[in-house]
Each structure stands twice: as C-alpha cells, then as structure tokens.
Amino acid sequence: MKKFNIRKVLDGLTAVSSSSASPQPGNRENDLIQETLQSEHFQLCKTVRHGFPYQPSSMAFDPVQKILAIGTQNGALRLFGRPGVECYCQHDSGAAVIQLQFLINEGALVSALADDSVHLWNLRQKRPAILHSLKFNRERITFCHLPFQSKWLYVGTERGNIHIVNVESFTLSGYVIMWNKAIELSSKAHPGPVVHISDNPMDEGKLIIGFESGIVVLWDLKSKKADYRYTYDEAIHSVAWHHEGKQFICSHSDGTLTIWNVKSPAKPAQTITPHGKQPKDGKKPEPCKPILKVEYKTTRAGDPFMILSGGLSYDTVGRRPCLTVMHGKSTAVLEMDYPIVDFLTLCETPYPNDFQEPYAVVVLLEKDLVVIDLAQNGYPIFENPYPLTIHESPVTCCEYFADCPVDLIPALYSVGSRQKRQGYSKKEWPISGGNWGLGTQSYPEIIITGHADGSVKFWDASAIMLQVLYKLKTAKVFEKARNKEDKPNTDIVDEDPFAIQILSWCPESRMLCVAGVSAHVIVYRFSKQEVMTEVVQLLEVRLQYELNDMESPDAGGEQPPALPTPGATSSPQASAPQSHPSTSSSSSDGIRDNVPCLKVRSTPLKQSPGYQVELVVQLVWVSGEPPQQITSLAVNSSYGLVVFGNSNGLAIVDYLQKTVLLNLGTIELYGSNDPYQRQPRSPRKTRQPSGAGLCDISEGSTTSEDRCKSPTSDNRDNSFSRSRSSSVTSIDKESREAITAFHFCETFTRKTDSATTPSLWVGTSLGTVLVIALNLPPAGEQRLLQPVIVSPSGTLIRLKGSILRMAFLDATGSFLPPAYEPWYEPNAPDDRDEKDKVRKRRPVSVSPSSSQEMNENQYAVICSEKQAKVIALPSQTCIFKHNITETSFVLRADVVQMSNGICVACFCANGHIMTLSLPGLRPLLDVNYLPLTDMRIARTFCFTNNGQAMYLTSPTEIQRITYSQETCENLQEMLGELFTPVETPEAPNRGFFKGLFGGGAQSLDREELFGESVAGKASRSLAQHIPGPGGIEGMKGAASGVVGDLARARIALDERGQKLSELEERTAAMMASADSFSKHAHDMMLKCKDKKWYQF
C-alpha cells in the first residue's frame, strides 16, 4: 500500500506566520473555541479503485479459487472475486501486462510484462505484493505457460527459444529449448516467435511449441529432441489440446482451424473455415480474418465445444466483433459491443487430462467484461455485479456525499431496481472467490456521476463497495435531434448537447438540480409514484453582460428597472409556462435572438418513479450572442429557490412559483460599490468551442492555450485550467467576471443586523463575495401566492483569487448546514393540511439566547483558489486568514465534517492535498499526492465528510482515497480476502485397464530434468533476479506456498494422505515464524531430495 510521508505541520507555528488574527473587539470569544482536530488525525492513503480496468491487455482465471485477474496496458493488475471483493495493484515499471498465469489454488499469480520481466505476486495478503521478479536482458518474452501443479514456468521468446523458470526461487534452469534444435532441417527460415507452449494433457514429458510462421513441434523433454513437426502454410495464432492428448487444434491468420492427430504430422486430420463461404467446385474457401484464439473443451455427455474469436469473412464490413461457439452441428455467433481483447472458458475441472465440462465463457472486451452461460439455450449472459459501467457514457462531473440520511439508499435502490434489464442467465455469477472484509464503517455514502449523454447515475459507495442504485436520463426532457440538414443552428456545442456540467443535490429533501452544457438547468423532485406530465414547465432567461446597454430586454425575465427595487416581475414567457414557442427566433436581419439552444419536448412526458422534472430553465441567445455556459449552481429546498450563474451574471428562480426573481449582470450586482474600472465592450459574435473541454480530452491532444489558464490569471501560464467549470474558455481576459460559487444560509446579512435572516452568498472569479438578502413569505399556502423578495444587501468581502467555497459556523465553531425541508411525496393525494404540516420550514440553528450580549454570533468560512478567510458576523471582521498557495492555485475546496471536528480540505493544481483547521485555519496536512497530469482529475476531484475523497483516475475508473488517520488504520480490516483455503479437487481416476495398458496420464519428474544438478546453471547475463517488496506478509504467504507444494506431492502419493494434520501443524508453525522461513524450506528440501516416493 502506498503510504505518503506526511509533512507533519507544527501546530500553531505556521499559523503565526500565515494567519493574521486582527485584534477585533469580537475576537475574545474566538479564544473560547477549542479546536479539536490535530495533525495526527490526518493521513493520506489510497483505499479502493472501482470501475472497468482501463485499456485491458490480458486475463487469467483460477478455477479452484474462482478469482479473475485482468492486466492492463499501463501495468495495472485488477483482481475480482465475488461481488464486493476487488483489488488493484500496480507494476512499478508501468509496462503493459502481456500475460497472466495463476498458480492454481496456491494464492499466487505470475505476470509477464512487455518490458520482458516476469513477476510473482503473493495473493495471500489483502494487498498483494511482488515476491520475486526476473528481468530478461537479451530476449523478448512472447508467451508463458505454467502447467497445473508444477513449479516450472516455460517462457517462450521472440527469437523462438524457450527458457524455464523455477517459480519458487525465481531462478532460470540451465535447460533451454533452442529454436534451431526444435525445427532442425524442417524449415529453411527462422520459424518466428513462440506463440504457444503447452504440455500434452496425458504426458507431461511432451511439450507442444507453436511458432508464428505456422510450424508446430512436439518436443520430448527427456530425450531433448522433437518427436514430430507439423507444418501449415498460414501463420498460427493459438493452439489447444483435446483432453485425451491425441489431437490438437490450431487457429490461423486466414480464418481457418486445423485439427491434427498427434501421430500424423504429414497433414491436418481436418481443416475448418468457420465463417468461410464454401465454393461449389471443391476449391479452398475464400480467406477470412484471422482467428485470434481457439479453445477446445470436451464434455462427458455430448459434443465438444470449440470457441473462437475473430475469423469473420472480409465482406462483413461494419459487423461488430464476434465470439463464435461451435457445439456439435450448431454454430452460434455472439456479437460484442467492443473489440475482444481475450476470452477464457470456465470449466468444472482444473485438470487438463479430464473431461473439461465447460459452463461459461469470460470475454474481456476493450471496454466491458461479459460472461456467457454455456449451459443454457441461446447462451444468455450473466448479469454483471461489478461496477464496470461508470464509463457507459464519458463522466463529465462527480459529487461525493458521505454520511447521508439512512433512508436514501433504500429509496434510490427501490426506484432503480425497476430499471433492470431482463433476459439474463438465472445462474449465480461464476467468479465467486474470496471473502468480504469486516467493514466497521457504517455510514451511508453516495457518489453521483454526470455523463456526456445527459445521464446521471447514483452509486451506493458505503464501506468500500460501489454499486449502481439508479440512473436518470435528463435528455428525455428535450426533443430528439432531427436529421442533420434539419439541425437547428442554435447549438453552442458541436456534440453531446445534453452533457452534465454541474450537479447540486440536497440529500435531505432529495431535490436535484443539474446544469448542462447547452446553458440549461433542470430541477428534479424525487417521487415514488409514476406521473404523467402533460406540459414540461419551462422558463427562458436572458442573461446579458452589457455596460452600455441598460434598457430592459423585451422578454425572458425582465431586469429590475433600477437596482434598489427588490425582486423582478417574471416574464410573459414565465407566467405562461404552458406555451412553448420562443418569443422570437430571429430578427429581420437574421440575428438569433431570444432562442434557447435546445427545444423542450411539447408532447406529454411519462415520468417513472424516481427523479421527475419540476422545471426546465434555459438561457437564450441575446442579439446574436450565444448564452454563456453555466459556471455555478445551487438549490435550496427550504426556500424553494434555485440559482445559477455564468460569466455574464446570475439568475435566481423560484421553482415553486415557476418565476424568475432576479436576473442581474455581475456588474449590476455591485451597484455603486463596484471596486473595478471596467471598459464597455461589444458583444462577441463567436461560438464557443464544443463542450469547452468537458468530455474526456484524448490523452495525447493538446488543449488550446486559453483553456489551460485559470480564469483569474492574466499572466499565469503555468499548470492547469481551473476546476470543474469549463467556463474558462468563455471568460474574456479584460473584464468578464464569472459567478463561481453560491451558498444559501440563514445568517447576518448586514453589519447592522441583530437577527439572522435567509440570504444567498455569491462568489465571483475576481475574488468578491456579495450577499443577497432573501425575504420569504410564510410557509404553506402563502409561500405559493406571495412573491419572494430578493435584494442585493451591499455587503461585499474581497479575497485573492476566484471564490471556490463558502460555509458557516455557529458561535461554538460547529458547522451550520444550509436550511432544508425534509423529503415528502410530491404526488401524494392532494390533502392540503397534511402537505402543509410536512412542509414547514426548518430553522437552521437555534439563535443564542437574548441574555447573551450581542457578540459575534457566526463565522463565514470563505475559500478562494489562493487563500482562505474566516469572517466574524455580523461585524464582518476577518479574524483568520491563510494563504494556501503562492505559486499554484486550488482546484477544489470543501468544508468537511470529520469524526472529531471540521476542517477545510483543498486539492491544489500542483498535486498537493491540504487540510486546514476551523476556525483557526492552521495547516494540519500537506501531502504532495499526485502531479496533476489530466483535466479529468481536476474536473472530478471531490472531498466529502469523514475523510473521504475521490476522482476519476482514468476514463473508466474511480479512485477513492482517505485523508483520515482512523480510516487508514481500519483499512486492512475493511479490505476483502482474495485467498481462501479450498481443497484442490481430486485428480481423475486412471481406471484399471488404462493403468494396465499404459493409456493414462504420464507424470514427469521435472525437478530431475530442470534442476541445477542435472541441467546446470543458466547464463547469468540472460536475466537478472530482483527480490520483491513482498515484506514479512509476503514471506508468510510464500512459506505456506512451499508447504502447499510438499503437501500436494504427499497427497498425490498417499492417495488420500492420512498425515494431513501433521502437515497443517507445520504450516501453522511456519506461518508464525516467517522470519526463519528460508531455513525451514531449505532443511525440508534436503530431507526430501534423496528419498524415493515409497519412503515418504
């Protein structure tokens, strides 16, 4: 496990240098706030990685332990057991994993990498580690094979040679099979790299070697020469044995399969072209695409299965990749959604010399994992229980909520379970190994992902699991795009017009608000009942940024005529939301005006249980200028308001009355307090770049200069674009001031206030915080009839850098959450009194008693991309200030609740993760976690309560980390076990006649052939041995592995070994004394070396 060295921060020391505590009269009560969090409460470590392994390259399965391993092109290793048992490891070199081989039922795995190294992983510990590595210097590895219950690994190379590695000591044997010796005079040319090695299932002394050029050699290990050579004039991709060892099958580059009888090398016994059209005149069928892999599996009761990937005819253009299952006379062609990387047939037995009895096929695709049930008609697939669909559509934003209300996950699960697809196999998921960890964390956690196609997914992330709960498709609200010629030219993005940019969710009331890339906002309510919506409620808003153009626009949310007037009447469009025409599509000279980017559907909308549309708000084109993308969003269920802003200004919408309350340009928000000199400017006529970098920027592509600057920087060229808002592009350097943060709260709005009132705090990209006072009618009937009055309060606070986050603390320094109303069923039978009772607003906090002198009653915590400030209210004096970073900037900041206090958590563009105490802003943690190499990380990083955080580490995977010492310590317990003690199934019975006439399996003493005493030592320069960092835990695992080896030998010889108990005792003793492991193993080897089998 990668643990980070924490720069432990001397409490208070840095606070003196970087925090300025101004001696305000109200400051004395601040001394009373005892901060509970110290730096020892923090530690950073990775917890789990979820999702589909990015760019997979290889796969292996342990048929006894029932564990699946997947290797990737960047050296990652993912292990899967039963649902909920997952593990992620990484090869340090980052080279692609070309092949994986389990030591079956041993709790170990061999990986071969593209940098010509071979590694042995110990899986008997919760975090697997490498025990040994071997790096080949002169030859490139192309294929490996480890026979069942053998400790000798065959390694084939590009030069056509085969080397043999002892898996226990990870040393090379002196026994080498050279290519020229294998083919001798059968071919004039070099046979090409080794593409296949396997031993005859019935005779371990005979090895089949497939060379790329089309030559196959049956090698006799004892006599060190080739028994037979089989030549075919097409390149070979794979080879598979019939379990009786008398026949094998090869797959070729021309789409043919050749079946050979071992003793008839002259020509194949049969040639099949599964997808070739057979010409009538007996000629060869036309060539097809290469068959990349074939497996040949037998059954006791019926015909054998031949399973292959590739081999389609060349005229099937546009055909999806296929897996072909041939069984008897039937051939099934199973289409896949993505190209096939590899497949494996799962069989009842681990023994290659028994009837295989295949029951499923695991197909690894480029972006999915599919398991096919071979036992049911029609070959249905199993329902995949792993969270592998994160990337179904590219993730564009995420939010993470720990410690949610307990009824939320069951509620989301119950509506989500109705969305399940039908037609899956009825059987249990076959990858069922390992055991769950003993999670002590009991609080509910939810991750929400927004996607490029407009979908929103809710995931249960409690403990260290991840499971999809519910999926919402926001695009349903809009008309489907028509054909291309008909395409409306009001789009502001070229593709993915429904992509989600920002999510705002209130877990208590279950209100959800999403902002999309086409400058649209949708408000959703949660309901357990289906409802038919005749007309989707729609508001159109005209957000302008003009200095020289102050007259009121004709429609779309009128601006207040003069600033002090509180509130604004709603537009004609808003008051009659039933009508859907745009006020005017274009003026006489063809300039687009007052048209939204997307068309809301005009037909009735059936809304299933779950999230249902309450209101759609769209920004419209203004005299030829497209609406700017939304940069910030907030919803408050207690006030019934949603607010959103962009680089032009902000709009406050009352979603209960469906009206626009305020629609102001940023400058007008300041009124006469504007501290900036601004130049009037004419509207731009240009379109924005598509998606403004919202969907995954392809790995290699360079982003435009503008996109990679912080919106507030005029001259900062270093590092990276600012956080989630892709508004970076749309902000003009000279004067645009974007709205970047909102916070609803009940607080002191002005210095003179003596009581708290509802308000909205607004943060901008120039580091200003402005406060808008909210005057709400009484709850109940009145709330729906009287207008909400909103008015800028004149309060203004300045910080350095764009505002990211605001939060509030009470007089004791405890967190003050925004007000909310508890969830109620919106589609309940219309019993007014009941509804009103439920919907009374909940006060946020208990005000201090009047006997207490009017002192600093609250603290505002404000964090920008450069600094954090704590402001005492109502006096508005800054009591603490901390400059977070001088050279970089903060991408994400959250105020989070830990188990014993609250803090500010920050993620910086230079890769540092930091936490600051509250209210004192003392640095508690500062770790250089990861250099920010990717816009994706910046856009998806989020912190949540209890020391949890997450980000998208690749387009398909979520990485979760913790910054809590407590979680780091408990992590070992929470992780699942990959290895569970299981007895290896009994070997197939040879039968009397087979034993008598020598028809059974022939065993081979490989130790005698490959051991140093006979084969000698391998050349030192060929490969170097590197001991792994497996640690003491690894030693224990290896000890039990060696004992396992001896146990197997003994069981095989004793038939049903009576001496197992003695062996178990020794295993236990060795596990306990892992440090004296090597001595024990050595003694044992000496003791057994000279004994014959009958002396055991």
Side-chain angles (χ1 to χ4, degrees):
M1 165 168 104
K2 194 169 178 189
K3 283 222 174 128
F4 300 89
N5 294 326
I6 296 183
R7 197 163 81 212
K8 288 278 184 190
V9 185
L10 287 170
D11 292 334
L13 260 183
T14 24
V16 177
S17 60
S18 57
S19 302
S20 59
S22 36
Q24 296 295 333
N27 205 19
R28 62 205 156 104
E29 92 154 332
N30 173 61
D31 305 333
L32 306 175
I33 296 182
Q34 191 63 46
E35 290 186 2
T36 47
L37 285 174
Q38 304 298 332
S39 49
E40 56 267 20
H41 292 129
F42 294 92
Q43 183 187 345
L44 196 69
C45 71
K46 291 182 177 179
T47 51
V48 277
R49 184 174 287 204
H50 302 293
F52 183 76
Y54 183 56
Q55 295 180 326
S57 54
S58 56
M59 173 170 69
F61 183 70
D62 184 326
V64 181
Q65 286 287 324
K66 299 211 179 326
I67 295 282
L68 182 76
I70 295 177
T72 73
Q73 288 178 29
N74 56 10
L77 189 57
R78 291 282 296 280
L79 296 143
F80 296 93
R82 64 178 60 193
V85 176
E86 279 186 50
C87 178
Y88 155 73
C89 327
Q90 178 70 46
H91 293 90
D92 290 340
S93 67
V97 181
I98 53 174
Q99 212 177 340
L100 293 168
Q101 294 259 302
F102 274 100
L103 277 69
I104 293 173
N105 206 22
E106 276 293 295
L109 174 76
V110 171
S111 58
L113 269 56
D115 65 356
D116 311 307
S117 60
V118 185
H119 307 269
L120 177 67
W121 288 87
N122 173 21
L123 309 182
R124 291 174 176 243
Q125 54 196 69
K126 289 188 167 186
R127 293 221 176 227
I130 292 177
L131 290 172
H132 299 280
S133 302
L134 197 62
K135 177 93 166 72
F136 282 77
N137 298 323
R138 298 202 304 249
E139 297 202 49
R140 316 256 9 217
I141 298 173
T142 54
F143 193 88
C144 297
H145 171 63
L146 181 69
F148 179 43
Q149 295 185 332
S150 159
K151 65 174 185 183
W152 298 96
L153 173 78
Y154 301 110
V155 179
T157 70
E158 199 170 43
R159 289 189 186 172
N161 303 325
I162 292 176
H163 301 279
I164 298 167
V165 178
N166 179 330
V167 175
E168 277 166 18
S169 61
F170 246 57
T171 50
L172 276 172
S173 161
Y175 191 116
V176 183
I177 304 170
M178 302 300 284
W179 68 271
N180 50 357
K181 191 92 168 43
I183 65 162
E184 279 180 344
L185 302 174
S186 64
S187 158
K188 294 192 177 90
H190 186 279
V194 174
V195 294
H196 181 84
I197 310 167
S198 59
D199 41 347
N200 184 323
M202 285 297 182
D203 186 351
E204 293 173 350
K206 304 274 197 261
L207 202 62
I208 208 153
I209 306 164
F211 294 97
E212 192 180 65
S213 64
I215 298 176
V216 177
V217 173
L218 187 69
W219 180 264
D220 185 319
L221 287 165
K222 280 185 189 150
S223 63
K224 301 187 182 178
K225 63 178 181 36
D227 281 358
Y228 299 104
R229 298 185 181 89
Y230 315 82
T231 43
Y232 190 71
D233 52 10
E234 288 291 341
I236 287 180
H237 283 280
S238 74
V239 183
W241 279 101
H242 185 284
H243 84 270
E244 287 173 352
K246 293 174 183 164
Q247 276 192 335
F248 61 88
I249 183 168
C250 301
S251 76
H252 299 277
S253 56
D254 64 345
T256 56
L257 297 172
T258 52
I259 299 176
W260 301 79
N261 289 332
V262 171
K263 295 186 174 170
S264 322
K267 68 177 199 341
Q270 200 183 347
T271 304
I272 311 166
T273 314
H275 295 283
K277 294 191 179 71
Q278 296 292 337
K280 300 226 167 64
D281 47 11
K283 287 183 187 154
K284 270 178 86 175
E286 56 188 64
C288 293
K289 293 174 185 170
I291 295 176
L292 300 176
K293 183 173 180 178
V294 63
E295 293 207 338
Y296 194 16
K297 303 294 179 188
T298 50
T299 58
R300 266 193 179 79
D303 296 307
F305 280 87
M306 258 187 245
I307 301 165
L308 53 120
S309 62
L312 293 179
S313 68
Y314 279 103
D315 59 9
T316 51
V317 181
R319 181 88 175 265
R320 293 196 293 184
C322 291
L323 186 83
T324 306
V325 180
M326 299 165 72
H327 183 224
K329 292 199 168 66
S330 79
T331 299
V333 180
L334 309 173
E335 288 201 341
M336 302 290 156
D337 289 339
Y338 305 101
I340 296 172
V341 176
D342 196 3
F343 73 88
L344 292 170
T345 311
L346 308 190
C347 300
E348 297 289 355
T349 175
Y351 292 93
N353 57 359
D354 194 6
F355 283 100
Q356 297 296 288
E357 305 295 351
Y359 60 89
V361 186
V362 179
V363 191
L364 178 62
L365 308 175
E366 274 182 12
K367 292 186 178 177
D368 201 2
L369 181 74
V370 176
V371 182
I372 296 159
D373 184 350
L374 286 180
Q376 257 176 277
N377 282 342
Y379 305 132
I381 64 169
F382 288 87
E383 185 173 5
N384 195 321
Y386 306 137
L388 301 183
T389 58
I390 292 168
H391 62 287
E392 197 173 21
S393 164
V395 175
T396 50
C397 63
C398 312
E399 290 297 335
Y400 189 1
F401 301 85
D403 221 359
C404 305
V406 287
D407 56 348
L408 252 182
I409 288 174
L412 287 163
Y413 180 79
S414 73
V415 294
S417 57
R418 306 175 197 198
Q419 303 175 323
K420 291 269 167 70
R421 277 180 46 198
Q422 302 301 310
Y424 289 113
S425 165
K426 306 277 187 292
K427 292 209 184 69
E428 287 288 301
W429 180 250
I431 303 160
S432 56
N435 275 321
W436 292 310
L438 306 163
T440 46
Q441 263 171 306
S442 53
Y443 50 85
E445 296 174 71
I446 290 178
I447 288 173
I448 308 181
T449 51
H451 300 263
D453 64 357
S455 59
V456 176
K457 286 184 184 172
F458 290 77
W459 304 82
D460 176 4
S462 309
I464 48 174
M465 312 275 253
L466 191 72
Q467 188 185 4
V468 72
L469 290 169
Y470 171 72
K471 179 178 170 182
L472 166 69
K473 294 178 180 168
T474 65
K476 277 186 178 169
V477 176
F478 301 103
E479 298 273 338
K480 291 270 188 297
R482 294 152 300 225
N483 41 14
K484 283 281 181 274
E485 308 80 68
D486 207 20
K487 196 170 179 235
N489 51 4
T490 54
D491 291 3
I492 53 172
V493 288
D494 300 334
E495 50 197 37
D496 298 325
F498 309 118
I500 306 291
Q501 236 169 340
I502 311 173
L503 297 159
S504 175
W505 188 51
C506 170
E508 288 79 12
S509 66
R510 306 184 191 170
M511 288 300 296
L512 172 70
C513 201
V514 301
V517 78
S518 297
H520 62 278
V521 169
I522 314 176
V523 183
Y524 286 94
R525 272 187 198 280
F526 185 83
S527 168
K528 292 181 178 175
Q529 297 178 14
E530 188 175 294
V531 66
M532 194 72 184
T533 304
E534 291 302 320
V535 177
V536 175
Q537 304 278 291
L538 169 68
L539 283 177
E540 289 181 358
V541 175
R542 193 178 164 100
L543 258 186
Q544 275 173 286
Y545 180 99
E546 293 306 327
L547 286 171
N548 48 2
D549 175 22
M550 288 301 275
E551 79 273 23
S552 208
D554 55 344
E558 290 168 11
Q559 289 167 321
L563 247 189
T565 318
T569 53
S570 60
S571 66
Q573 184 74 26
S575 53
Q578 286 70 19
S579 61
H580 274 219
S582 274
T583 4
S584 68
S585 56
S586 55
S587 50
S588 51
D589 57 356
I591 293 175
R592 286 191 286 276
D593 193 43
N594 267 4
V595 284
C597 306
L598 299 172
K599 193 164 172 1
V600 171
R601 60 184 286 165
S602 45
T603 51
L605 176 65
K606 181 178 136 188
Q607 305 210 63
S608 310
Y611 275 100
Q612 299 174 349
V613 182
E614 171 86 356
L615 176 66
V616 179
V617 185
Q618 286 181 291
L619 291 182
V620 294
W621 286 67
V622 177
S623 23
E625 184 168 352
Q628 297 298 311
Q629 289 182 351
I630 290 161
T631 55
S632 50
L633 173 73
V635 65
N636 185 289
S637 57
S638 176
Y639 307 155
L641 302 179
V642 63
V643 56
F644 56 92
N646 62 10
S647 56
N648 287 342
L650 85 160
I652 303 178
V653 171
D654 178 342
Y655 65 75
L656 298 175
Q657 295 189 25
K658 317 276 187 287
T659 56
V660 180
L661 299 174
L662 184 71
N663 171 2
L664 274 187
T666 320
I667 300 161
E668 300 158 280
L669 205 51
Y670 284 92
S672 54
N673 293 351
D674 193 352
Y676 301 106
Q677 297 296 309
R678 303 177 196 255
Q679 298 301 313
R681 44 183 295 290
S682 60
R684 291 187 315 176
K685 299 284 188 282
T686 53
R687 291 184 59 178
Q688 290 176 263
S690 109
L694 187 69
C695 288
D696 278 300
I697 297 164
S698 64
E699 308 305 276
S701 76
T702 52
T703 51
S704 68
E705 266 301 280
D706 266 9
R707 195 181 291 165
C708 286
K709 294 210 176 114
S710 164
T712 57
S713 70
D714 293 323
N715 53 0
R716 186 197 314 139
D717 287 51
N718 66 339
S719 59
F720 230 78
S721 150
R722 246 199 75 253
S723 70
R724 320 181 318 259
S725 64
S726 57
S727 61
V728 183
T729 36
S730 56
I731 292 172
D732 292 338
K733 293 262 170 55
E734 69 278 6
S735 63
R736 288 246 167 155
E737 180 175 11
I739 306 288
T740 55
F742 289 119
H743 192 82
F744 283 103
C745 56
E746 215 142 304
T747 187
F748 302 98
T749 311
R750 300 174 181 82
K751 285 185 186 181
T752 52
D753 285 3
S754 57
T756 59
T757 51
S759 62
L760 168 66
W761 289 53
V762 180
T764 77
S765 58
L766 293 184
T768 308
V769 175
L770 300 143
V771 184
I772 295 173
L774 309 172
N775 191 341
L776 297 152
E781 188 83 25
Q782 293 300 305
R783 173 65 185 84
L784 300 174
L785 301 174
Q786 294 182 25
V788 176
I789 296 167
V790 294
S791 49
S793 66
T795 297
L796 187 140
I797 297 163
R798 304 279 316 277
L799 273 77
K800 229 178 14 184
S802 177
I803 305 294
L804 295 178
R805 182 74 59 207
M806 295 171 280
F808 288 79
L809 313 179
D810 66 13
T812 65
S814 303
F815 184 62
L816 275 179
Y820 61 82
E821 76 174 6
W823 177 77
Y824 64 93
E825 174 54 68
N827 299 323
D830 209 8
D831 188 345
R832 257 283 143 70
D833 302 337
E834 281 304 304
K835 263 197 177 177
D836 287 354
K837 244 182 250 170
V838 182
R839 296 193 42 193
K840 288 276 185 280
R841 263 199 317 117
R842 186 191 74 96
V844 178
S845 64
V846 182
S847 297
S849 59
S850 50
S851 61
Q852 197 182 332
E853 58 180 295
M854 227 323 274
N855 218 322
E856 309 294 350
N857 277 327
Q858 284 188 7
Y859 300 98
V861 180
I862 304 169
C863 189
S864 77
E865 56 181 14
K866 286 292 190 184
Q867 61 181 189
K869 280 186 180 181
V870 173
I871 313 276
L873 298 175
S875 69
Q876 296 181 16
T877 46
C878 172
I879 55 169
F880 292 108
K881 179 174 97 176
H882 176 72
N883 292 326
I884 300 168
T885 172
E886 294 298 333
T887 52
S888 183
F889 53 96
V890 179
L891 287 160
R892 174 82 186 207
D894 289 286
V895 174
V896 291
Q897 190 90 43
M898 303 290 282
S899 57
N900 46 358
I902 78 170
C903 66
V904 182
C906 309
F907 174 53
C908 240
N910 60 11
H912 281 252
I913 288 177
M914 292 173 256
T915 61
L916 306 171
S917 73
L918 282 175
L921 299 179
R922 285 175 302 122
L924 298 173
L925 170 85
D926 183 349
V927 179
N928 189 0
Y929 171 67
L930 86 166
L932 185 64
T933 50
D934 208 310
M935 187 66 193
R936 182 191 318 105
I937 298 171
R939 203 181 51 239
T940 56
F941 199 103
C942 36
F943 297 98
T944 184
N945 297 334
N946 298 328
Q948 308 287 356
M950 63 154 280
Y951 58 92
L952 237 75
T953 183
S954 75
T956 62
E957 295 163 291
I958 284 175
Q959 177 68 56
R960 284 163 72 180
I961 61 176
T962 181
Y963 46 97
S964 145
Q965 173 71 37
E966 195 183 346
T967 309
C968 285
E969 284 170 4
N970 295 336
L971 186 60
Q972 197 64 17
E973 281 174 37
M974 293 165 67
L975 293 171
E977 298 269 5
L978 284 167
F979 180 78
T980 46
V982 182
E983 220 175 286
T984 305
E986 216 171 313
N989 198 341
R990 284 175 68 174
F992 176 71
F993 286 108
K994 279 196 174 175
L996 202 61
F997 301 114
Q1002 304 289 311
S1003 62
L1004 165 81
D1005 187 346
R1006 296 189 179 97
E1007 185 72 50
E1008 207 169 281
L1009 271 180
F1010 306 146
E1012 208 173 288
S1013 52
V1014 177
K1017 285 189 175 179
S1019 156
R1020 278 214 177 148
S1021 59
L1022 185 63
Q1024 71 199 75
H1025 175 254
I1026 306 155
I1032 201 85
E1033 236 191 314
M1035 297 289 260
K1036 286 184 192 171
S1040 54
V1042 170
V1043 178
D1045 232 331
L1046 288 169
R1048 271 204 314 271
R1050 192 167 294 184
I1051 290 166
L1053 295 162
D1054 276 7
E1055 289 298 323
R1056 296 302 299 138
Q1058 293 86 25
K1059 301 183 183 175
L1060 272 172
S1061 57
E1062 171 193 323
L1063 201 65
E1064 277 169 9
E1065 279 163 31
R1066 194 172 306 162
T1067 306
M1070 290 181 91
M1071 293 287 280
S1073 59
D1075 37 346
S1076 63
F1077 147 68
S1078 54
K1079 182 172 157 293
H1080 271 270
H1082 189 68
D1083 291 354
M1084 233 166 225
M1085 185 195 75
L1086 295 176
K1087 203 182 296 176
C1088 305
K1089 195 169 79 171
D1090 302 318
K1091 286 192 180 181
K1092 295 284 181 279
W1093 64 269
Y1094 50 80
Q1095 290 176 304
F1096 269 93

